[in-house]
Amino acid sequence: MYRYDEFDAAFVHERVAQFSDQVVRRVAGDMTEEEFRPHRLMNGLYLQLHAYMLRVAIPYGTLSSRQLRKLGRIARVYDKGFGHFTTRQNIQYNWPALKDIPAILGELAEVEMHAIQTSGNCIRNVTADHFAGAARDEVADPRPYAEILRQWSSIHPEFSFLPRKFKIAVTGAAHDRAAIRVHDIGLEVRRNEAGEIGFRVLVGGGQGRTPMLAREVNAFVPEKDLLAYIDAIMRVYNLYGRRDNKYKARIKILVHETGLDELKRQIEAEFEAIKDGVLTLPADEVERIEAYFAPPVFPERPAASASFEAARAADREFDRFARVNLHPHKTPGYTSLTISLKPIGGIPGDASADQMDVVADLAERYAFDEIRVSHEQNLVFPHVALDDVHAVWSVLKEHGLATANAGLVTDIIACPGLDYCALANARSIPVASRISERLGDPDRQEAIGPLSIKISGCINACGHHHVGHIGILGVDKKGVEVYQLTLGGSPDETAAIGEIVGPGFDSDQIVDAVETVVDTYLKLRSSPDETFLAAYRRVGEAPFKEALYGA
Amino acid sequence: MPQIVTANSLIEGDVVFRTADGGWVRDIDAAGVLADKAAAEAAHAAALQDVKAAKVVDVALIDVTAEAGKVVPVKLRERIRAFGPTVKSDHRADLKPFTA
Ligand code: SF4
């Protein structure tokens, strides 16, 4: 795995020292809040409803046991005993005190972690497929490229004051689990006919107030040109992106207002000018970074595991977990395993300090010391031997971590909403909990099949509601929480922005409304194999509208 | 409508309320209830001095009802600030939700 170099270490320690000093000066009153705010935001520290909130970067969602244990320790010592994993593959602490932030950042630096570039108008944490390096359908591990981008973009002087924040996601498989089409830049690693690695480049996706899907600007950028090409895009954006209006400053608006063809022309012109220059990636540098992500050595195993099959046959609950929470691995005899942070009725994405320790111990013992954070707010063991799945599951179960609902209707994404977030209009988490309780019966969930519900507490769309099969957006109507329902959204390679189905629902109607949508789907699907999304695409919104609002 | 002055404490970040004698407390019932506009403006101005003095940040005047010693913010957002998240913590039994 990637180990950050001396440059990173020196920089992070310097930054911790700098910010510690700023905290001391702020507390002593030598710095005003106006002076202090940009510094604290640069270090991932926000002031939310109840307290400060610290957002810690987890590059491409990859963690070692040692790092996860540290995150758990911070939750235990400096917070209220838990942390919250976000849709940006980060972790947020909801209750740290300002005076403790220097100590927390110091502890993070001990495990090569920090909170830099988790806020502000810079290139944020680069996200990637949570099954990277493991998934059977993958062309190549996307993380070395995410890492190259991270190194290039970290405190990049030219791109530290962009018109607006900037998000990049990378997938290594054609089946997109990283939602690249709703990022400012989405990259798909692919091979050309000669077998060479390159990137399909999509630009201008985003959610928020004006949701848009990214458009293709280049079908194949050769590996060596990755940085030069991205740099060209950033230069065009930096030059022409709007700085006069915060709501029009994202690159999606530039794509929309300039037109795709003209923008492509501008990018290509910039690219021509810098191509084959200093930004060209030398093959040995790519190899050097790839070496950090080299897959563990997997002892050879038979493709099928007798003990695993026997355990499935003996225990219905385990069998269900094996059906729902495992994902096909490249290597015979291995699997990727989703640890759901969506207990029925619980808070999506929360994990206690003890749970983090348990997961870290299991990873060390059974999962090659690797943990991933998914943008769906779950944890993942990318590599587990089938022979070990039952042992892992038994421990997870003891600690409330074995909910068999990956990808099912209670695997809900929800932003912090009005319970925590200073920008919120309505609550998200309680709605998620109530829906989860209503639809949480295991048999019913499996009968419903793959269905994603995503909830945001305001138009900023941190809960990805635009791309939920069922999306819920909380709004404030004269002091009352109202929830708008969208249907048919999708974040993958068939990405779509959901359509608002009709007038919103009160807090005490929204769960019924969701259940009505689900039941309507169950009645009209052509077979149990037709997913909610497929059925919606076949029949459109009319039957759902009728069920919700009458003829 | 009566108002109170709220803020976050600088060092802890906690939600705090301004008392009648100019202190800051976590218990909303101890807040100084401001009956009219003049009182509200005076308290607000005084609170801003405490921002300068690096005691609190994000000062705001909020509408409340105040009956029988119970102070309750009118807006849901402010009720959540005053009484905590409406979600139970999955991990801390002592963090009880309140019903908004
Ligand atoms: S969507 Fe809105 S309410 Fe939810 S976390 Fe983002 S800013 Fe806060």
Side-chain angles (χ1 to χ4, degrees), chain A residues 244-263:
Chain A
D244 60 321
N245 181 339
K246 181 174 157 187
Y247 300 120
K248 302 204 163 163
R250 294 292 285 267
I251 197 171
K252 61 190 173 187
I253 305 292
L254 185 67
V255 176
H256 186 71
E257 289 185 349
T258 314
L260 187 64
D261 289 337
E262 172 57 17
L263 196 79

Side-chain angles (χ1 to χ4, degrees), chain A residues 415-418 421-426 428 456-463:
Chain A
C415 79
L418 191 57
C421 175
L423 303 172
N425 288 324
S428 309
S456 304
C458 83
I459 194 65
N460 288 332
C462 304

